[in-house]
Amino acid sequence: PDVIIEAQFDDNDAEHGQDHLQDTLTDDIKKLSLDTAEKGKAAGVTGVHRIKLDDGLKINDPRLLPDEFLQRTAKVVYILEKKHSRAATGFIKLLADRNSELFKRCAMFSPVDHRVPRVYVPLADCPPDFVTKPEAYSQMLFICRIMDWKEDSNFASGQLCKSLGQAGEIEPESEGILTEYGVDFSDFSPEVLECLPQNRPWVISPGELAKRRDLR
């Protein structure tokens, strides 16, 4: 009594997407219903079985479509480990809307790494003359640490940690990279230095030099 519908798909179906496939299935079922009804009338049959799909599936149910036409979706349910240090290197500038209340409280931090969101930072963290002379800091690198990022906001909120120096110079750029990746580049403690030979300056003996390749 049940009618099994087998739809044939070609490249044109793939180009038109899922909506086209659903329309195709609907049209095929309508045609099959009409053909079945006409054949039933011609044979003098008063009752024609309706097409039914198992498990209560509808024509536009995605479970009827082949796997190659489905886009898998998912959602994040838990963060196991925060890999990013939440620190970023970038520049600060004034907000565009000078009449807003936010302009009086915050500045915009633009990270060099475009994978990191732009951040609202308090004006209190900025240099004292930043509001009056923002152009003086247009090429100055800063370190900002992201503190929060609300779901309904396009921008995160954070705090300026320190000024690194002029962009393009080796030392500020290197310090920014090390800070972003959480590398501790502070001076060694006295306890660590005591483990080293104390008769400084250290020299390599001639016998040791003879065995080594000089890469200086």
Side-chain angles (χ1 to χ4, degrees):
D2 298 336
V3 177
I4 300 176
I5 300 175
E6 181 178 353
Q8 300 294 330
F9 301 100
D10 54 20
D11 294 337
N12 292 329
D13 295 326
E15 292 177 0
H16 288 84
Q18 182 172 331
D19 294 338
H20 175 70
L21 295 176
Q22 294 175 353
D23 294 341
T24 303
L25 282 173
T26 305
D27 293 340
D28 290 344
I29 290 179
K30 289 179 179 179
K31 291 177 182 178
L32 186 57
S33 300
L34 293 175
D35 292 343
T36 307
E38 291 175 358
K39 291 179 182 179
K41 290 180 180 178
V45 180
T46 56
V48 178
H49 292 287
R50 292 184 178 180
I51 299 172
K52 70 176 183 177
L53 302 172
D54 294 338
D55 300 328
L57 299 180
K58 299 180 180 180
I59 298 302
N60 60 352
D61 195 300
R63 286 175 288 178
L64 292 175
L65 298 175
D67 288 344
E68 59 265 25
F69 295 103
L70 297 179
Q71 174 64 52
R72 303 296 180 186
T73 60
K75 67 177 181 179
V76 177
V77 295
Y78 187 76
I79 298 176
L80 290 176
E81 181 181 1
K82 294 181 179 180
K83 300 291 289 185
H84 197 273
S85 64
R86 299 300 188 271
T89 306
F91 305 92
I92 56 173
K93 58 183 179 180
L94 294 175
L95 299 180
D97 189 1
R98 294 178 176 269
N99 297 322
S100 66
E101 288 295 325
L102 198 60
F103 179 86
K104 301 176 183 179
R105 297 183 290 106
C106 297
M108 179 64 70
F109 175 83
S110 297
V112 175
D113 188 349
H114 297 292
R115 296 173 298 178
V116 181
R118 287 181 289 177
V119 185
Y120 287 133
V121 294
L123 285 177
D125 294 348
C126 301
D129 58 344
F130 169 67
V131 176
T132 58
K133 295 189 294 184
E135 64 279 357
Y137 300 93
S138 60
Q139 296 301 316
M140 185 76 68
L141 281 175
F142 290 85
I143 287 289
C144 173
R145 190 169 299 276
I146 297 175
M147 307 303 294
D148 190 21
W149 191 4
K150 298 185 182 301
E151 295 181 358
D152 58 350
S153 176
N154 293 329
F155 307 108
S157 58
Q159 294 179 345
L160 282 185
C161 297
K162 63 180 298 186
S163 171
L164 297 178
Q166 288 292 323
E169 296 182 359
I170 293 178
E171 290 187 4
E173 298 277 359
S174 300
E175 183 176 347
I177 293 173
L178 294 173
T179 303
E180 286 182 4
Y181 286 92
V183 178
D184 184 7
F185 56 93
S186 59
D187 294 336
F188 289 109
S189 64
E191 292 78 13
V192 174
L193 295 177
E194 287 176 1
C195 299
L196 301 174
Q198 301 302 314
N199 53 339
R200 292 180 293 177
W202 306 321
V203 293
I204 303 175
S205 64
E208 191 68 30
L209 276 176
K211 300 187 295 182
R212 298 189 181 197
R213 181 181 178 184
D214 195 347
L215 298 176
R216 291 173 295 179

